[in-house]
């Protein structure tokens, strides 16, 4: 209930700011004060058709519906100059006076190829996809989706909860599913896999799995269509919990494999889960990347650190109104960085 009230108040406030003209004016003034050098980097994950949505096992925080995505692109096309990665890194100014944005996707989900690409082509929009190289190579998928799929059979719950409680000396007794995900997310990858191994399916996926990444052939197709494929590690661990050698392997290994497979120079890295610290940041630089993206909210301005670029992460709930339809006012407030 409280969530619904908050959402209603947010939509009301967003509508007032947007339709009164205050918000568009705020954009102009802020950009003028910053010398017009800001870039709004947008971060997305999955784009799902209705049929894909019924079968997918992802948390709602990484999903956008196809019809909402189509409207998002329409809005960006009208209000922003959408840059390629090279134009962003070279600091090129776009013709005209529109503010600039860079569109990015994390993880390399297959729906980026089947569902998002046709809309990007229609709007002739460049984008960047950060892929988990080892998952494409070995046909593996993410542990959260495997966990959600396993969680669909209630008979699994008691045993899994017991294993989890034992491993944390009772700290997680009675926690919610979201609490379990949060706990597992912040474990070194090896410990997490050991805990999950007997409760959920293996990481390897068969054809038709709703949570698979795209293939190398599809990555090459995306590249031909003007989509930049860049790195998001080899197996998607939270790098701050991994030792120096593992981090170096994750960074250098994914870069090398992408460059060999796609015959291109890989320039950009996106930290898995947006998580970084000074050690990881330094290693990204040492591995030869030209820049790296976080999930800290805000715009990127000239002079900001190029290895901790901010992004505005969007999903269905962030850009829709109370009725669930796309809301330009909600989107404008998100993109303004006000909230
Ligand atoms: Zn990711």
């Amino acid at each position: 209930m409280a969530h619904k009230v908050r959402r209603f108040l947010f939509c009301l406030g967003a509508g007032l700011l947007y339709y009164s003209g205050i918000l568009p004016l705020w954009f102009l003034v802020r950009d003028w004060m910053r010398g017009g050098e800001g870039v709004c980097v947008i971060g997305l994950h999955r784009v799902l058709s209705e049929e894909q949505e019924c079968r997918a096992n992802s948390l709602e925080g990484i999903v956008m519906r196809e019809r909402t995505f189509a409207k998002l692109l329409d809005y960006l096309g009208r209000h922003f100059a959408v840059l390629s990665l090279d134009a962003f890194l070279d600091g090129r100014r776009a013709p005209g006076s529109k503010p600039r944005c860079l569109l990015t996707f994390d993880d390399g989900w297959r729906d980026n190829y089947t569902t998002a690409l046709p809309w990007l082509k229609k709007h002739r929009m460049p984008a960047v996809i950060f892929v988990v190289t080892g998952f494409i190579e070995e046909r593996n998928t993410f542990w959260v989706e495997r966990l959600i799929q396993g969680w669909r059979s209630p008979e699994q719950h008691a045993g899994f909860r017991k294993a989890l409680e034992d491993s944390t000396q009772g700290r997680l007794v009675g926690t919610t599913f979201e609490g379990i995900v949060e706990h597992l997310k912040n474990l070194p990858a090896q410990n997490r896999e050991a805990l999950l191994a007997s409760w959920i399916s293996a990481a390897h996926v068969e054809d038709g799995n709703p949570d698979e990444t795209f293939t190398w052939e599809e990555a090459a197709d995306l590249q031909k269509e003007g989509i930049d494929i860049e790195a998001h590690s080899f197996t998607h661990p939270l790098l701050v919990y991994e030792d120096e050698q593992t981090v170096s392997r994750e960074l250098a290994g994914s870069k090398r494999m992408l460059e060999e497979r796609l015959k291109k120079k890989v320039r950009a890295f996106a930290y898995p889960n947006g998580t970084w610290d000074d050690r990881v940041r330094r290693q990204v630089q040492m591995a030869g990347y030209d820049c790296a993206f976080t999930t800290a909210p805000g715009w990127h301005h000239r002079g900001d650190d190029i290895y901790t670029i901010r992004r505005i992460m969007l999903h269905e709930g962030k850009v829709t109104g109370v009725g669930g339809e796309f809301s330009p006012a909600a989107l404008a407030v998100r993109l303004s960085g006000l909230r």
Side-chain angles (χ1 to χ4, degrees):
M1 190 62 196
H3 171 71
K4 277 193 178 154
V5 172
R6 266 204 312 276
R7 192 164 164 73
F8 174 75
L9 290 175
F10 170 79
C11 291
L12 186 69
L16 280 172
L17 284 170
Y18 182 72
Y19 293 108
S20 66
I22 294 174
L23 194 60
L25 191 66
W26 158 253
F27 264 105
L28 285 176
V29 170
R30 195 182 53 175
D31 208 37
W32 173 75
M33 283 166 67
R34 291 273 202 160
E37 299 293 348
V39 179
C40 177
V41 183
I42 295 175
L44 300 166
H45 290 86
R46 308 193 68 172
V47 178
L48 301 178
S49 67
E50 277 181 38
E51 184 271 328
Q52 288 166 331
E53 204 188 337
C54 294
R55 300 173 57 235
N57 295 297
S58 288
L59 295 170
E60 60 181 46
I62 66 163
V63 170
M64 185 173 279
R65 290 191 178 134
E66 182 180 9
R67 61 168 195 239
T68 306
F69 179 69
K71 290 191 173 147
L72 169 71
L73 293 198
D74 190 49
Y75 180 98
L76 294 179
R78 278 186 288 119
H79 298 281
F80 284 86
V82 183
L83 304 176
S84 66
L85 179 68
D86 284 344
F88 169 76
L89 286 173
D90 300 347
R92 256 176 259 161
R93 289 217 51 88
S97 58
K98 285 181 182 172
R100 296 172 296 164
C101 92
L102 178 71
L103 195 52
T104 69
F105 296 80
D106 281 8
D107 300 340
W109 298 97
R110 184 146 194 272
D111 49 76
N112 292 179
Y113 178 75
T114 57
T115 312
L117 179 63
W119 291 103
L120 289 165
K121 273 167 74 172
K122 181 171 177 243
H123 287 269
R124 295 209 180 93
M125 257 179 213
V128 183
I129 303 182
F130 295 105
V131 298
V132 182
T133 327
F135 286 4
I136 306 185
E137 184 69 12
E138 289 161 16
R139 307 250 13 239
N140 287 345
T141 193
F142 299 84
W143 66 267
V144 179
E145 280 63 27
R146 290 154 54 213
L147 179 64
I148 292 175
Q149 193 186 24
W151 204 252
R152 292 189 195 281
S153 22
E155 61 272 20
Q156 294 263 51
H157 295 187
F160 181 59
R161 274 190 183 281
K162 173 90 177 62
L164 199 62
E165 286 165 16
D166 289 351
S167 76
T168 58
Q169 284 83 45
R171 207 158 39 81
L172 289 184
V173 174
T175 192
T176 57
F177 182 74
E178 287 72 22
I180 292 175
V181 170
E182 206 46 41
H183 169 75
L184 292 170
K185 193 190 277 179
N186 289 291
L187 290 179
Q190 220 180 354
N191 302 12
R192 182 174 54 237
E193 277 305 318
L195 193 59
L196 290 175
S198 48
W199 301 102
I200 61 175
S201 61
H204 185 78
V205 296
E206 301 301 329
D207 278 347
N209 184 299
D211 307 310
E212 63 187 342
T213 57
F214 47 71
T215 63
W216 286 120
E217 291 71 33
E218 289 163 344
D221 275 357
L222 282 157
Q223 211 173 227
K224 271 187 225 136
E225 301 293 348
I227 310 299
D228 237 302
I229 309 292
E230 302 288 327
H232 191 38
S233 79
F234 197 72
T235 61
H236 208 272
L238 264 64
L239 296 172
V240 294
Y241 299 125
E242 304 297 331
D243 63 39
E244 194 116 351
Q245 263 185 330
T246 310
V247 173
S248 153
R249 216 171 34 238
E250 289 282 339
L251 294 172
S254 54
K255 187 172 191 297
R256 197 178 326 113
M257 181 172 278
L258 267 182
E259 291 182 342
E260 279 169 16
R261 287 287 195 167
L262 298 177
K263 314 268 178 282
K264 59 166 271 177
K265 177 163 166 41
V266 170
R267 304 185 71 187
F269 182 75
Y271 299 99
N273 205 45
T275 311
W276 63 279
D277 59 14
D278 287 343
R279 175 184 64 113
V280 172
R281 183 202 168 283
R282 215 171 28 250
Q283 282 190 264
V284 169
Q285 204 169 358
M286 273 160 39
Y289 291 98
D290 293 337
C291 67
F293 293 80
T294 69
T295 52
W299 284 41
H300 179 75
H301 292 95
R302 188 204 280 264
D304 289 351
D305 179 24
I306 200 79
Y307 287 97
T308 54
I309 298 169
R310 292 170 177 277
R311 285 191 290 176
I312 307 231
M313 304 305 291
L314 297 178
H315 61 82
E316 183 73 16
K318 294 236 171 187
V319 300
T320 49
V322 266
E325 290 304 309
F326 174 77
S327 158
L331 174 63
V333 170
R334 303 297 183 194
L335 295 185
S336 73
L338 284 173
R339 217 195 119 110

